[in-house]
Amino acid sequence: MAARHHDIADDLRHQITTGHIKPGERLPPESGLAGQYKVSTATLRRALGALQGEGLVEKIHGKGNFVRRPLRKIAYVGGWGTLDPRTAADTDLRVTVRTTAMGARGELTALLRVPNGSPLTEFLCLSYEGESPHSMARIYVPHEMTSPAALGDGLSCARAEASFPVLRPPPAEIRETVSARLPTPEETSALRISSALAVLAITRVAADTTGRVVEAALLVFPGDRVDAVFTTHHMISERKTQG
């Protein structure tokens, strides 16, 4: 009798968890696995989909299915520096940055408080641990505040950091809205995650001392790869007693 997809998933899961198939190892081609288990390619893909949803297997376009290396969690501490690997303890992340000139539209006009069509610079940032994507962000800055050095694709992380004008001086106010939701198709593809895995979505708006919005960022973290840490400082006023 041909194995059903959950039987195949059980067998592959056992091989992965016992170390018979090691982290980072590529699985045989789907057609070969389907023949090995005597099932259709569609059934085989259902089994692989279950393992992808569990975070055991990831499919890399054009390369195949790989046993996923365990990804460490990073601590999201809020405010500027989210994608800077130096702010995350015990991690070794690299960040790719792609810049695009565009006009404000939809949600961006409200976040940045600008008219429709106002020129912006978009920074699309993807962070990786090894070859596995860890998080993504779309950061928007008014075009006139963008350094010429920041324009163009293939920026290094250090160069991108130096190019953001809001770093010097830092924003006077940062407001963040945090929510948990299912990923969009684009996020599912970019982060190589299951469409059933919840993501932590953070909308960050930064303003200067005049109240002008200088940055709007849409940050997305797979729910199994980040811990959000928020610290509140209470100001205690001291009153002098009159004797």
Side-chain angles (χ1 to χ4, degrees):
M1 178 184 296
R4 293 172 295 180
H5 73 277
H6 54 77
D7 294 324
I8 300 171
D10 287 343
D11 183 57
L12 291 173
R13 186 184 300 108
H14 177 73
Q15 294 186 59
I16 292 170
T17 56
T18 58
H20 182 71
I21 307 178
K22 302 186 182 305
E25 186 174 338
R26 184 170 68 88
L27 298 178
E30 293 179 0
S31 58
L33 279 176
Q36 175 184 328
Y37 288 106
K38 298 181 173 59
V39 295
S40 66
T41 302
T43 299
L44 187 278
R45 286 177 177 168
R46 289 183 65 189
L48 293 176
L51 298 178
Q52 290 164 8
E54 296 170 17
L56 291 176
V57 170
E58 64 176 333
K59 185 170 186 175
I60 302 178
H61 182 70
K63 294 185 178 180
N65 293 286
F66 292 78
V67 177
R68 183 171 154 191
R69 298 180 186 277
L71 292 180
R72 293 166 292 179
K73 282 193 174 184
I74 64 172
Y76 175 78
V77 295
W80 184 262
T82 304
L83 295 177
D84 181 353
R86 294 170 299 180
T87 66
D90 193 31
T91 60
D92 183 19
L93 301 180
R94 65 181 176 88
V95 182
T96 64
V97 184
R98 188 185 73 198
T99 61
T100 305
M102 60 176 293
R105 61 182 183 275
E107 179 187 19
L108 294 178
T109 60
L111 291 176
L112 286 154
R113 303 175 196 163
V114 295
N116 189 55
S118 296
L120 305 175
T121 301
E122 178 193 64
F123 296 81
L124 174 59
C125 306
L126 280 171
S127 69
Y128 294 83
E129 183 177 350
E131 294 301 316
S132 298
H134 211 291
S135 64
M136 71 179 294
R138 292 185 181 277
I139 301 173
Y140 300 91
V141 177
H143 187 72
E144 68 273 15
M145 300 183 66
T146 308
S147 165
L151 299 176
D153 292 347
L155 291 177
S156 67
C157 182
R159 182 181 165 199
E161 288 173 10
S163 300
F164 285 119
V166 294
L167 284 175
R168 295 181 298 275
E173 177 182 300
I174 297 177
R175 181 175 182 176
E176 295 182 330
T177 303
V178 183
S179 63
R181 58 169 173 78
L182 293 178
T184 65
E186 179 190 21
E187 293 162 355
T188 298
S189 175
L191 295 170
R192 301 180 203 154
I193 58 176
S194 166
S195 59
L197 175 67
V199 296
L200 185 68
I202 300 174
T203 299
R204 182 180 68 208
V205 177
D208 63 16
T209 54
T210 68
R212 180 189 183 188
V213 176
V214 293
E215 177 215 75
L218 308 177
L219 316 174
V220 179
F221 301 89
D224 62 346
R225 302 179 198 176
V226 67
D227 288 320
V229 179
F230 299 94
T231 302
T232 301
H233 297 278
H234 295 282
M235 301 300 294
I236 301 176
S237 61
E238 296 183 1
R239 293 184 179 179
K240 293 183 178 180
T241 58
Q242 300 294 327

